[in-house]
């Protein structure tokens, strides 16, 4: 393929965009008390400033990859960055909680476009021998952004004004759009027609499941407002799977999930992302609510955790093939599960930060391995033509994992504890951490069962489709 800007320029453009979009998952959390006072907002409105972004981000990831394959990955990527930038400006100018929630929902749509297409654009811009390193770098930037988002938000709120949590995205987006148009190469997926019904089925199915899980944190899993959308969403996803087996241009070829490697690598992504980020959600609150650190102080104390992926991910990308991707994925899940078990054993209202520190370092090591290799392992089991939809599936599974982890661990926390005091908080936190440990153990088992090397692909003549590449200048 003729690469206009080369692998480095593609990596920088897509990496900065992915970092910006991923960071906004949680960057607003530390600004919530200020926003509550500014708008006299209810607790439910504050929850939806986070949930609106998470919801649209999770459900449109696969849809974005599908649209990129059909209409052009560069074109759709630029549209996502533009939409995200405009929505960030709208959020910064919000004059009510309702306006802010709507802007956050649109931000999530823009963000959902960025990461899966960024991954495909990067993979196609580098030779095979540098592919693992590029995927590791991009995934590491995204994971780091999610991890340090609360710290950056706390720093902005303490040193400036909450509006700048959103304004900071605008100049970045204004710079990225023309650079992307000038330097990225356009490409398409293997199918010339869009499977409209399949696209709608998978989008609405994910909407039902993710919406139900988001609502479960405040309503509980027994609420009809949680059960109904989850069941309806699951039914639509089953319909989607059945429908896809009968159409000539499927959104997601059913043979992908008949591959044990592809199916298990995505299950690993779901479980590991869910177990760890469900715990992160509660542990960042523990540092503030129980140990009484300020938002910025709590963020600074998580840096040994959040900065480890910056060191580990590039090394994992470089040596993944030599040491074994499966082996390192198992190690990553085990390290993170071990860290959560350590936290569960030592958390108390009087625990010293130094006692927590070893667990943070170990968790960071595991996160670095996971971020570097999760997407790479998934793409190893698909053809070049299927990398776009495969990256969308992997991104969706990881984001759904975040929603699932927060919902499940927060539900356990609420069942056994509350925010009335340090003792009550710890009573809820400890069983939630043990649940996260179990989820990560299941992730390690799934990683162990994933094939070490993908089998040689068998390509049927009737399945061969031309990959359309358009050079625009």
């Amino acid at each position: 393929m003729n690469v206009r800007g080369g692998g480095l320029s593609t990596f920088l453009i897509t990496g900065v965009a992915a970092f910006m979009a991923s960071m906004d998952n949680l960057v607003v959390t530390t600004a919530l008390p200020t926003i509550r006072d500014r708008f006299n907002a209810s607790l439910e409105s504050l929850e939806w400033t986070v949930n609106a972004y998470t919801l649209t981000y999770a459900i449109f990831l696969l849809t974005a990859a599908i649209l990129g394959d059909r209409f052009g990955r560069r074109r759709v990527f630029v549209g996502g960055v533009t939409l995200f930038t405009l929505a960030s400006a709208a959020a910064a100018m919000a004059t009510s909680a309702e306006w802010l929630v709507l802007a956050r929902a649109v931000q999530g749509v823009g963000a959902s476009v960025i990461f899966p297409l960024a991954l495909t654009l990067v993979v196609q811009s580098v030779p095979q021998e540098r592919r693992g390193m590029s995927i590791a770098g991009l995934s590491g930037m995204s994971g780091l952004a999610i991890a340090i988002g609360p710290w950056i938000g706390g720093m902005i709120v303490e040193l400036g004004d909450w509006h700048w949590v959103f304004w900071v995205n605008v100049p970045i987006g204004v710079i990225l759009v023309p650079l992307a148009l000038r330097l990225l190469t356009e490409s398409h997926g293997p199918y010339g027609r869009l499977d409209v019904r399949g696209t709608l089925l998978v989008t609405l199915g994910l909407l039902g499941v993710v919406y139900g899980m988001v609502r479960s944190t405040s309503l509980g899993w027994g609420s009809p407002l949680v059960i109904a959308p989850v069941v309806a969403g699951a039914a639509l996803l089953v319909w989607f799977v059945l429908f896809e087996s009968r159409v000539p241009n499927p959104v997601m070829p059913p043979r992908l999930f008949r591959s044990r490697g592809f199916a298990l690598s995505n299950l690993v992504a779901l479980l590991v992302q869910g177990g760890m980020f469900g715990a992160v959600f509660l542990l960042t609150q523990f540092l503030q609510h129980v140990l009484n650190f300020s938002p910025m102080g709590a963020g600074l104390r998580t840096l040994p955790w959040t900065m480890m992926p910056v060191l580990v991910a590039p090394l994992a990308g470089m040596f993944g093939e030599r040491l074994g991707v499966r082996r390192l994925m198992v190690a990553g899940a085990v390290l993170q599960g071990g860290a959560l078990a350590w936290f569960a054993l030592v958390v108390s209202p009087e625990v010293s930060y130094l006692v927590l520190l070893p667990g943070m370092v170990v968790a960071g090591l595991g996160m670095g391995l996971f971020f570097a290799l999760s997407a790479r392992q998934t793409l190893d089991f698909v053809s070049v033509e299927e990398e776009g939809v495969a990256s969308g599936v992997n991104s969706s599974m990881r984001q759904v994992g975040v929603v699932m982890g927060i919902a499940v661990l927060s539900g356990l926390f609420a069942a056994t504890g509350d925010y009335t005091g340090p003792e009550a908080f710890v009573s809820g936190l400890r069983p939630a951490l043990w649940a996260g440990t179990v989820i990560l153990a299941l992730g390690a088992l799934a990683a162990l069962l994933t094939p070490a090397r993908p089998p040689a692909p068998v390509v049927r003549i009737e399945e061969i489709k031309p990959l359309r590449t358009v050079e625009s200048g």
Side-chain angles (χ1 to χ4, degrees):
M1 175 182 291
N2 179 23
V3 181
R4 302 166 67 196
L8 179 59
S9 60
T10 300
F11 176 79
L12 291 175
I13 292 169
T14 57
V16 171
F19 184 93
M20 176 178 68
S22 298
M23 186 176 67
D24 271 56
N25 264 288
L26 298 174
V27 71
V28 73
T29 53
T30 45
L32 292 180
T34 305
I35 293 171
R36 179 187 61 203
D37 295 338
R38 172 67 178 80
F39 296 140
N40 193 26
S42 66
L43 177 60
E44 186 175 11
S45 293
L46 291 176
E47 290 176 347
W48 276 106
T49 60
V50 177
N51 291 341
Y53 186 94
T54 304
L55 180 67
T56 55
Y57 185 30
I59 66 174
F60 285 109
L61 280 163
L62 182 54
T63 305
I66 295 165
L67 295 177
D69 279 3
R70 171 62 182 86
F71 297 108
R73 290 156 180 157
R74 182 188 66 174
R75 180 182 303 165
V76 176
F77 175 80
V78 169
V81 175
T82 302
L83 183 62
F84 183 86
T85 303
L86 293 174
S88 296
M93 295 187 291
T95 57
S96 67
E98 293 75 17
W99 179 345
L100 180 59
V101 169
L102 179 60
R104 287 282 288 167
V106 179
Q107 257 195 319
V109 176
S112 72
V113 174
I114 291 172
F115 191 76
L117 295 180
L119 187 60
T120 308
L121 288 165
V122 165
V123 166
Q124 295 191 343
S125 71
V126 297
Q128 179 69 27
E129 62 269 17
R130 289 165 49 199
R131 170 173 160 167
M133 184 67 178
S134 298
I135 295 174
L138 187 67
S139 301
M141 289 179 72
S142 177
L144 174 65
I146 294 174
I148 68 174
W151 172 61
I152 292 177
M155 183 171 61
I156 290 173
V157 170
E158 287 194 22
L159 301 180
D161 185 87
W162 72 266
H163 297 85
W164 281 99
V165 168
F166 303 108
W167 276 127
V168 70
N169 296 323
V170 176
I172 299 174
V174 169
I175 293 171
L176 286 178
V177 167
L179 287 177
L181 289 170
R182 174 68 183 88
L183 297 176
L184 300 184
T185 299
E186 185 63 286
S187 66
H188 296 74
Y191 299 109
R193 295 181 57 193
L194 178 65
D195 175 11
V196 177
R197 185 183 298 183
T199 303
L200 289 175
L201 283 174
V202 72
T203 303
L204 293 175
L206 287 172
L207 173 61
V209 172
V210 175
Y211 177 81
M213 288 194 293
V214 166
R215 295 292 283 155
S216 71
T217 58
S218 57
L219 299 178
W221 283 101
S223 170
L225 295 178
V226 172
I227 297 173
V230 169
V231 171
L236 287 173
L237 290 177
V238 171
W239 185 6
F240 165 74
V241 171
L242 296 175
F243 176 77
E244 291 295 280
S245 64
R246 301 194 303 269
V247 295
N249 56 328
V251 165
M252 187 171 59
R255 65 178 176 275
L256 290 182
F257 276 98
R258 288 198 291 269
S259 162
R260 185 165 68 97
F262 183 83
L264 284 173
S265 61
N266 279 290
L267 178 61
V268 173
L270 176 78
L271 293 171
V272 174
Q273 194 97 343
M276 180 50 65
F277 281 97
V280 168
F281 177 77
L282 293 172
L283 285 168
T284 53
Q285 297 181 69
F286 170 79
L287 291 175
Q288 297 181 59
H289 188 77
V290 177
L291 300 188
N292 296 315
F293 294 119
S294 68
M296 188 165 68
L300 286 171
R301 284 167 177 81
T302 62
L303 285 180
W305 184 346
T306 58
M307 292 304 291
M308 286 305 296
V310 178
L311 303 175
V312 175
L315 295 175
M318 291 172 60
F319 298 107
E321 196 65 36
R322 184 181 306 174
L323 299 176
V325 173
R326 179 180 67 172
R327 184 180 300 167
L328 292 179
M329 286 291 288
V330 173
V334 169
L335 287 171
Q336 292 177 80
L340 293 196
W342 173 252
F343 292 141
L345 289 170
V346 302
V347 288
S348 72
E350 301 82 23
V351 67
S352 166
Y353 168 73
L354 292 177
V355 175
L356 300 174
L357 186 57
M360 292 187 176
V361 173
V362 171
L365 288 170
M367 286 176 70
L369 295 175
F370 172 76
F371 289 149
L373 301 173
S374 177
R376 174 181 176 178
Q377 186 179 49
T378 297
L379 295 184
D380 278 344
F381 295 96
V382 302
S383 66
V384 173
E385 291 84 355
E386 294 165 336
E387 286 177 342
V389 70
S391 67
V393 172
N394 184 258
S395 298
S396 294
M397 294 296 279
R398 291 171 64 171
Q399 189 60 28
V400 170
V402 172
V403 177
M404 178 200 74
I406 291 175
V408 171
L409 269 62
S410 295
L412 286 171
F413 170 84
T416 55
D418 54 47
Y419 290 87
T420 56
E423 290 286 353
F425 191 97
V426 171
S427 295
L429 176 62
R430 190 173 290 115
L433 290 173
W434 282 121
T437 303
V438 171
I439 293 172
L440 283 160
L442 293 174
L445 177 61
L448 186 63
L449 296 175
T450 304
R453 291 182 180 274
V458 177
V459 181
R460 300 178 178 86
I461 298 297
E462 64 270 17
E463 292 178 350
I464 298 177
K465 303 282 184 179
L467 178 64
R468 296 186 285 129
T469 303
V470 179
E471 185 68 38
S472 304

